[in-house]
Every structure is written in C-alpha cells, then in structure tokens.
C-alpha cells in the first residue's frame, strides 16, 4: 500500500512522482520512498484521480536499487498469472507498456490476463 506524496515535472519536462510505500498490516516495517518517472508517474497520477478498483487492489510494485519504480503488477483472482502489468522500457520513457486490460480494472477480483497477453509479457520481460 502507498500514498503519492508529490507529483511534478523534472527540468526536462518528464513526469515525476514521489511515493511512500508501507505495509499497513505491519507498522514495525519501515516505509520505503520510491520515485516514478515518465509515463509510469503519469499513470499513477491519473489513476489517483479515479475511483477505479485498480487503485485499491493490493498490487506488487517493482523498483531498482536506486528506488526508481519500473513496474506494477496487479494480481488476478487466480494467482498464477497477473491481471495486468504496467511498465515502461526505461524510467524516463514517455510511453507505457501495458499487458492485460488497457482500461483501469473495475472489479476487486480481476481475471488473469489471457495466455497470449501473458506470453507477450514474458517475451517483453526477457528482452528488456
């Protein structure tokens, strides 16, 4: 779980977002401050202004050793395959790569992405 602490633009016009991620089920675990850039920051900003279920579903956020967010995975109701993966080629990219539904998820128990989408996700993951 997390909150957006600020949204802005870098000197190069790239979207940026500061995010505070914490485990609300374990207050002894310290929170992590993560930065998102480019299209991923814009996506987070835009979903924050909606009431889509995707905003509230506990998802897996992946970030590198510099604490730059590079991928969000929304779990599915079946667990073996995610419902949606949101990523970008690099942290300054202005283009999102979405595997699964392109629109925001509107249910709290989303179906897994199709086999074709999952295979495309795995192929992209291997090549990037």
């Amino acid at each position: 779980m997390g909150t957006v602490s600020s949204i802005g633009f870098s000197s190069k016009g790239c979207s940026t977002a500061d995010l505070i991620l914490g485990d609300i089920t374990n207050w002894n675990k310290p929170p992590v401050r993560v930065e998102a850039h480019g299209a991923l920051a814009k996506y987070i900003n835009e979903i924050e202004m909606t009431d889509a279920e995707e905003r509230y579903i506990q998802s897996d956020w992946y970030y590198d050793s510099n604490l730059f967010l590079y991928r969000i995975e929304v779990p599915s109701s079946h667990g073996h395959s995610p419902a949606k993966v949101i990523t970008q080629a690099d942290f300054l990219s202005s283009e999102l790569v979405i595997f699964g539904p392109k629109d925001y998820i509107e249910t709290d128990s989303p179906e897994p992405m199709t086999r074709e989408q999952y295979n495309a996700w795995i192929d992209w993951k291997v090549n990037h």
Side-chain angles (χ1 to χ4, degrees), residues 21 32 34-35 61-71:
L21 304 179
V32 176
V34 177
E35 290 185 36
W61 292 41
Y62 295 87
Y63 47 90
D64 65 14
S65 60
N66 293 315
L67 300 179
F68 292 143
L69 182 69
Y70 64 88
R71 181 174 79 230

Side-chain angles (χ1 to χ4, degrees), residues 5-105:
S5 56
S6 70
I7 296 285
F9 294 92
S10 71
S11 60
K12 297 179 183 179
C14 179
S15 298
T16 63
D18 286 328
L19 311 155
I20 307 298
L21 304 179
D23 184 351
I24 62 171
T25 63
N26 183 354
W27 292 108
N28 293 322
K29 193 186 286 185
V32 176
R33 182 172 171 245
V34 177
E35 290 185 36
H37 296 271
L40 206 46
K42 185 177 177 195
Y43 184 86
I44 292 166
N45 182 39
E46 289 173 357
I47 199 168
E48 283 293 312
M49 296 181 192
T50 73
D51 200 27
E53 282 298 318
E54 182 176 331
R55 179 177 173 204
Y56 305 105
I57 296 172
Q58 186 171 348
S59 55
D60 298 321
W61 292 41
Y62 295 87
Y63 47 90
D64 65 14
S65 60
N66 293 315
L67 300 179
F68 292 143
L69 182 69
Y70 64 88
R71 181 174 79 230
I72 300 170
E73 290 187 20
V74 179
S76 70
S77 57
H78 300 300
H80 68 280
S81 173
K84 185 176 189 176
V85 175
I86 306 111
T87 189
Q88 54 195 33
D90 62 61
F91 79 96
L92 291 177
S93 177
S94 62
E95 186 175 327
L96 276 181
V97 181
I98 298 176
F99 300 92
K102 302 297 182 206
D103 295 330
Y104 298 130
I105 294 174

